[in-house]
Amino acid sequence: MTAVTDSPGHTESTPYLLIRLASTVDQLFADTARTHGLTAQQAHLICRLVGGPVQMAALGRQLGLEKSGLSGLVDRVERHGLVERVRDSCDRRMWWVRLTGQGQKTAHATHEEVMAGLEALTADLGPAEADLLKAVLERLLTDAPGDAAR
Amino acid sequence: MTAVTDSPGHTESTPYLLIRLASTVDQLFADTARTHGLTAQQAHLICRLVGGPVQMAALGRQLGLEKSGLSGLVDRVERHGLVERVRDSCDRRMWWVRLTGQGQKTAHATHEEVMAGLEALTADLGPAEADLLKAVLERLLTDAPGDAAR
DNA sequence: TATTGTTATACTCTATAACTATA
DNA sequence: TATAGTTATAGAGTATAACAATA
């Protein structure tokens, strides 16, 4: 997603550049996911699990999904053999989602490829410019809304 | 979309910041579209038409859609009363997609709101920082792939 | 009764392939 | 025969509401 109206190309305003940047990032992520036979959402899911199992409710919050939507997404990734559901031993209503062995490999590979692609994007910048970009992005996103989700 | 693993927040690398920025932009666009009863894709479509009617084939290219996908998308937006198909008078195989009166209003409003949201995002930056951000973004995107589409 | 997940529905989006109508 | 669009089909993503199991 993301395009609105890129039109010409000569004197693009910052808003348009931001839209194009978002588009580029999204595309990189989708392409990388597809390399591993996954959709972008499925790749997001498994990348969230590299730090260890996560409870369904927490996962839904992180991904900005309704519980029913998450249920289906986990189903599909489970069908790929990348994750499994584990019931919580204390509260039997809760389930944890955990990467399988294959899921770990895929998640790590996907994560690395996305990071490499993004680093390649900024590779041309000199050290000063790179630092500046980082600082400005940090400022932009410090109190930007809509990040916890999605 | 876009998240991978935002984890902490303290020392985020530039790649993570780029992912979060993309997420923010996407979210702004989706939210704005929903305000007008549209999906993000539908909003993209009508925003592409503010400059005048566009031929189906060209529209598909701009939006990165297969012709069948575009056909359905135009159907849905047409059902909202925002666009209409006009047959080309010379080559009767071709169709142009045109905003209706209501479509113009919605398209302009959506476009303005997205732009305003993006400008708000960078409003805190000083003029020097803003110029630098623009320059860096231009460099990043000059030869970045995957922009013509999507 | 409140909470965690799943199921049932209903759309939207997207891709591939087959088809229609023009050229 | 080649091109512009549509239709058919199928899977994925997302939201709402009703439901089951557990607390």
Side-chain angles (χ1 to χ4, degrees):
Chain A
M1 245 249 332
T2 23
V4 178
T5 293
D6 65 10
S7 56
H10 4 311
T11 334
E12 266 183 313
S13 64
T14 302
Y16 278 116
L17 291 169
L18 290 173
I19 288 170
R20 288 216 290 138
L21 178 61
S23 171
T24 300
V25 172
D26 288 346
Q27 197 63 50
L28 167 66
F29 201 79
D31 290 346
T32 303
R34 200 177 30 189
T35 295
H36 297 278
L38 300 173
T39 64
Q41 286 70 12
Q42 291 169 1
H44 277 303
L45 173 64
I46 61 173
C47 285
R48 286 279 173 174
L49 299 175
V50 291
V54 178
Q55 200 201 316
M56 287 287 282
L59 205 48
R61 244 173 288 126
Q62 288 173 21
L63 297 171
L65 289 174
E66 292 300 314
K67 51 192 181 176
S68 69
L70 177 62
S71 202
L73 181 58
V74 171
D75 283 348
R76 290 184 291 274
V77 180
E78 197 171 28
R79 244 178 270 144
H80 281 271
L82 302 181
V83 304
E84 53 197 0
R85 286 168 163 97
V86 182
R87 197 164 201 170
D88 187 285
S89 49
C90 300
D91 187 333
R92 292 169 52 73
R93 290 173 301 184
M94 303 201 290
W95 292 83
W96 295 78
V97 187
R98 179 171 70 187
L99 288 172
T100 62
Q102 191 197 339
Q104 296 230 359
K105 283 184 207 158
T106 304
H108 279 109
T110 301
H111 185 269
E112 264 181 38
E113 285 168 37
V114 169
M115 289 299 123
L118 291 173
E119 272 155 20
L121 194 64
T122 57
D124 287 358
L125 301 179
E129 271 178 316
D131 284 351
L132 219 141
L133 176 62
K134 183 162 182 265
V136 171
L137 288 177
E138 274 167 357
R139 282 195 50 189
L140 287 192
L141 295 168
T142 295
D143 41 20
D147 284 326
R150 291 256 100 184
Chain B
M1 245 249 331
T2 25
V4 179
T5 294
D6 64 11
S7 55
H10 4 308
T11 335
E12 266 183 314
S13 64
T14 301
Y16 278 117
L17 291 168
L18 290 173
I19 288 170
R20 288 216 291 137
L21 178 61
S23 170
T24 300
V25 172
D26 289 347
Q27 196 63 51
L28 168 66
F29 202 79
D31 290 346
T32 303
R34 200 177 30 189
T35 294
H36 297 278
L38 301 173
T39 64
Q41 287 70 12
Q42 291 168 1
H44 277 303
L45 172 64
I46 61 172
C47 285
R48 287 279 172 175
L49 299 175
V50 291
V54 178
Q55 201 200 313
M56 287 287 283
L59 205 48
R61 244 174 287 125
Q62 289 173 21
L63 296 172
L65 290 174
E66 292 301 314
K67 51 191 182 178
S68 70
L70 178 63
S71 202
L73 181 57
V74 171
D75 284 347
R76 290 185 291 275
V77 179
E78 198 171 26
R79 243 178 269 144
H80 281 272
L82 302 181
V83 304
E84 53 196 1
R85 286 169 162 96
V86 182
R87 197 164 201 170
D88 187 285
S89 50
C90 299
D91 188 334
R92 291 169 54 70
R93 290 173 300 183
M94 304 202 288
W95 292 84
W96 295 77
V97 186
R98 178 172 71 185
L99 289 172
T100 61
Q102 191 197 339
Q104 297 230 358
K105 284 183 206 161
T106 304
H108 279 109
T110 300
H111 185 269
E112 265 181 37
E113 285 167 37
V114 169
M115 289 299 122
L118 291 173
E119 273 156 18
L121 196 63
T122 57
D124 287 359
L125 301 179
E129 271 178 316
D131 284 352
L132 253 150
L133 174 63
K134 183 162 182 263
V136 171
L137 288 177
E138 274 167 357
R139 281 195 52 189
L140 287 192
L141 296 168
T142 295
D143 41 20
D147 283 327
R150 288 255 101 183

